[in-house]
Amino acid sequence: DEMSELILDSLEIEGFRAFERLTIERLSRVNLIVGKNNVGKSCLLEALQLYAHRGSPETIWSILTARDEADSTNKRTMDDYVEAVKYLFYGRKLFDKYPDDDTFTIGTLDNPDLQLTVKVQWVEQTVTNLPEISITFGGETVVSAQLNNFLGGGYFSPRSSRRGVGINCRFVSANSLAEDTLIEFWDNVALKPAEKDILQGIHIIAPEVERVNFIGREREHGSIRIPMVKMLNIAEPIPLRSLGEGMLRLFGIVLALVNAQNGLLLIDEVDSGLHYTVYSALWQLVFKIAARLNVQVFATTHSWDCIAGFQQAAQEMADEEGMLIRLERRQGHIVPILFDKERMTIATRQQLEVR
């Protein structure tokens, strides 16, 4: 089935953030990325976000502001943009005001038609040298603009390029989803078959929940819609959050998953706020929904219990493979070690340290 082909069967990242060059030769439908702190787990998710959104200015800016690398106020100079964007490049090197350029690439192995290239270079102008950013996908230019116009909101990506459209991609940060994102994702699937998937996710923690919906509530600065649940044997609906922060986290993950149809789902610190007893059931649900809706999943974790739950779920899925990807530093370089279903079973059985 052509629709169920993986968006990325491999991954190569060069010159981006922590990666001088990272080559992952094989990917699966559901990929769990592990490793010590500061080996690039979150960088890998950022690279995938940028790839999916074809290097859009909104994505670059949200990545930089999320790490406090960019000034989020409105009074920015060209130097501020140069200072911020350097964080995207390996070694955080400052650009020299010379014609040579700084570049990073993200794509699949051996397929230049599926490669994103982001380049910043200084262009000679009559008065002064100005940095420009150019973004190409598969050799076709998607964007070429002055850096401050591009990042400062004055630039709108052309929709004419068929390569500029990108991939459906949903990102769940370690802090879960913002209220407005939860509402947007819910409105996309309300009264559709995906509601059953979401209820199934909620049942992992609270089997007594019968229905879920977003209901308006008045607040000091206007009304807000919040997720409410109808419980068995309780007449009045109660806020989903009253079932605990772990419930909200689980709800957000499953909601993002069903919104990522035919695309990518990226989850940073998937275990955040969840009790270890839910991991196995959560991964089983993720594997099943991802296979049915053709979603490719990339998640990070530090938790051994989360890895064990992942391995167990992967083992129970006959067709859909799971891949455990361990990033580690060797002689100053970050390298991936891949554990497919078979290697994962051996590792967890022998309690090998795969984190």
Side-chain angles (χ1 to χ4, degrees):
D1 182 4
E2 206 175 312
M3 281 303 286
S4 64
E5 278 184 15
L6 297 179
I7 290 168
L8 292 161
D9 58 6
S10 60
L11 183 65
E12 186 165 55
I13 304 170
E14 207 164 335
F16 177 75
R17 289 245 194 236
F19 306 121
E20 186 172 15
R21 188 174 184 190
L22 179 77
T23 302
I24 301 175
E25 292 180 355
R26 192 155 58 94
L27 292 169
S28 284
R29 172 147 319 272
V30 185
N31 304 274
L32 184 58
I33 302 145
V34 300
K36 292 176 182 171
N37 287 332
N38 199 29
V39 292
K41 296 187 297 295
S42 297
C43 294
L44 196 148
L45 296 187
E46 288 173 340
L48 292 167
Q49 248 186 306
L50 268 180
Y51 179 82
H53 295 148
R54 303 294 186 251
S56 80
E58 298 81 8
T59 306
I60 289 177
W61 199 245
S62 72
I63 284 171
L64 292 171
T65 50
R67 293 209 197 206
D68 298 326
E69 292 160 342
D71 179 3
S72 54
T73 64
N74 286 324
K75 294 181 179 177
R76 288 183 292 269
T77 64
M78 178 67 90
D79 285 346
D80 293 330
Y81 290 113
V82 172
E83 186 65 24
V85 84
K86 75 173 187 187
Y87 285 101
L88 296 178
F89 292 84
Y90 177 73
R92 301 189 186 98
K93 57 189 175 187
L94 271 170
F95 307 110
D96 296 320
K97 296 189 179 185
Y98 296 110
D100 59 324
D101 55 81
D102 290 285
T103 306
F104 65 78
T105 58
I106 303 163
T108 60
L109 277 166
D110 309 321
N111 192 344
D113 282 345
L114 296 173
Q115 182 171 284
L116 175 77
T117 302
V118 177
K119 178 192 290 188
V120 173
Q121 58 188 346
W122 292 83
V123 180
E124 291 277 351
Q125 301 282 353
T126 49
V127 182
T128 178
N129 283 1
L130 290 172
E132 286 192 356
I133 189 165
S134 67
I135 292 168
T136 54
F137 190 80
E140 185 180 318
T141 301
V142 181
V143 166
S144 184
Q146 215 168 283
L147 187 62
N148 58 336
N149 291 338
F150 179 72
L151 288 177
Y155 186 85
F156 298 96
S157 305
R159 279 293 183 226
S160 55
S161 165
R162 100 194 129 75
R163 298 185 187 277
V165 176
I167 298 163
N168 182 21
C169 177
R170 307 298 185 178
F171 175 69
V172 182
S173 76
N175 304 322
S176 291
L177 298 173
E179 280 183 345
D180 55 347
T181 308
L182 278 176
I183 293 166
E184 179 200 332
F185 284 5
W186 174 258
D187 287 347
N188 289 342
V189 299
L191 303 177
K192 293 179 184 170
E195 266 200 39
K196 287 181 183 171
D197 295 324
I198 292 156
L199 206 53
Q200 225 180 323
I202 288 172
H203 286 167
I204 291 172
I205 292 179
E208 66 278 19
V209 170
E210 293 181 304
R211 289 174 61 203
V212 60
N213 205 346
F214 275 71
I215 295 172
R217 272 198 173 176
E218 289 303 319
R219 282 195 182 167
E220 194 181 340
H221 302 291
S223 62
I224 180 79
R225 289 162 63 206
I226 62 168
M228 306 282 287
V229 290
K230 167 71 179 73
M231 308 283 283
L232 195 67
N233 302 326
I234 300 174
E236 292 297 310
I238 66 168
L240 180 81
R241 200 187 281 267
S242 71
L243 301 177
E245 288 300 317
M247 175 58 88
L248 199 66
R249 175 73 172 166
L250 189 65
F251 179 65
I253 288 171
V254 182
L255 199 48
L257 174 59
V258 295
N259 270 270
Q261 186 160 4
N262 296 321
L264 299 179
L265 172 65
L266 314 176
I267 314 169
D268 202 12
E269 294 180 34
V270 63
D271 54 283
S272 175
L274 294 174
H275 194 259
Y276 73 92
T277 52
V278 308
Y279 296 142
S280 186
L282 171 61
W283 280 123
Q284 283 172 31
L285 190 64
V286 168
F287 270 86
K288 283 173 188 160
I289 296 173
R292 196 178 76 242
L293 298 183
N294 188 32
V295 180
Q296 191 169 12
V297 180
F298 294 85
T300 68
T301 189
H302 288 106
S303 160
W304 172 261
D305 291 306
C306 189
I307 294 166
F310 178 80
Q311 182 268 325
Q312 196 180 331
Q315 207 59 42
E316 287 172 21
M317 295 297 288
D319 307 321
E320 294 301 328
E321 237 190 314
M323 182 76 76
L324 184 71
I325 302 164
R326 180 171 188 250
L327 299 181
E328 64 173 53
R329 281 189 190 275
R330 286 190 185 165
Q331 297 166 334
H333 297 283
I334 296 168
V335 294
I337 295 141
L338 306 185
F339 294 83
D340 57 16
K341 200 186 288 193
E342 198 176 318
R343 285 196 68 202
M344 235 189 301
T345 307
I346 295 165
T348 47
R349 192 187 301 132
Q350 297 179 356
Q351 292 287 298
L352 297 178
E353 182 53 76
V354 293
R355 290 174 297 176

